[in-house]
Every structure is written in structure tokens, then in C-alpha cells.
């Protein structure tokens, strides 16, 4: 498990959570919907080229929706495991050239 924090549900069951991130690489606004254990639900608008970070239950499903000519369209369906943020260790970050960030993508 990548994250020690846990969500406390109504029935006092602790649910392991993950720190996740989604980058909207398209030129259109999308809606991220995340559904998880029990009553967990997250819905956010993600603008073009924006990075959204969030915490969710480890077994949550993430859907990316957009609006097309015929109405809402499901663009992508993912698991939370596919969106886990990997935090670089201090040793790995130390090996980067000055001014470079492990969080920036090239291209």
C-alpha cells in the first residue's frame, strides 16, 4: 500500500487509500468521476492540460467523461492503481540535473 492514511466510513471500517493523479492531456474539458468503497464518490472538472491530485480508496474505479455531440461520452475507465502518484526518493531527486523536476513531463 502506497499510503498509510485511511478513510473512516460510517460503520467505522478503515479503508486504505491511495494518492492519485490525473493529467488531462486533451484540449477539451473532462469530468473525472471516482467511485469507491461504500459511499465514496468524487466528481471534478479537469480543464485542458490541468493536473488533478486526489485521494481515494485503493479499489476505486475512475471514469473520464467528456461532452460530445450526442451527449456525455465515456472516454476512459481506469482503476485507482493505474493513477497512483509515485513520489521520488531523496536519493533519486538528488541525481536530477539542477532545475529539473521529477513531476514535469517532457513533450
Amino acid at each position: 500500500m502506497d499510503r498509510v492514511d485511511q478513510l473512516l466510513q460510517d460503520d467505522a471500517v478503515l479503508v486504505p487509500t491511495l494518492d492519485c493523479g490525473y493529467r488531462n492531456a486533451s484540449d477539451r474539458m473532462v469530468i473525472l468521476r471516482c467511485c469507491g468503497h461504500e459511499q465514496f464518490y468524487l466528481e471534478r472538472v479537469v480543464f485542458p492540460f490541468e493536473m488533478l491530485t486526489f485521494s481515494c480508496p485503493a479499489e476505486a474505479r475512475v471514469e473520464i467523461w467528456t461532452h460530445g455531440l450526442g451527449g456525455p461520452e465515456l472516454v476512459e475507465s481506469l482503476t485507482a492503481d493505474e493513477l497512483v502518484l509515485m513520489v521520488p526518493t531523496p536519493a533519486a531527486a538528488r541525481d536530477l540535473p539542477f532545475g529539473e523536476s521529477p513531476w514535469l513531463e517532457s513533450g
Side-chain angles (χ1 to χ4, degrees):
M1 204 64 52
D2 290 308
R3 184 174 167 149
V4 180
D5 295 351
Q6 298 179 334
L7 293 175
L8 184 61
Q9 298 293 326
D10 292 338
D11 57 358
V13 174
L14 295 176
V15 179
T17 62
L18 299 175
D19 288 331
C20 299
Y22 176 78
R23 182 176 179 267
N24 181 4
S26 74
D27 61 348
R28 301 181 70 184
M29 178 181 72
V30 297
I31 297 170
L32 179 140
R33 291 184 181 149
C34 181
C35 300
H37 183 76
E38 297 292 326
Q39 300 286 328
F40 181 86
Y41 183 78
L42 173 75
E43 182 173 290
R44 295 287 184 270
V45 172
V46 187
F47 290 97
F49 310 108
E50 179 181 11
M51 174 76 173
L52 174 71
T53 58
F54 57 97
S55 293
C56 66
E59 295 169 11
R61 298 286 308 160
V62 178
E63 295 178 342
I64 308 300
W65 292 81
T66 189
H67 190 73
L69 294 175
E73 297 176 6
L74 179 62
V75 175
E76 200 169 6
S77 184
L78 307 158
T79 63
D81 291 334
E82 295 176 77
L83 299 174
V84 171
L85 292 175
M86 303 304 288
V87 178
T89 63
R94 191 174 36 242
D95 295 337
L96 291 173
F98 180 75
E100 288 193 23
S101 171
W103 292 278
L104 297 177
E105 291 182 16
S106 61

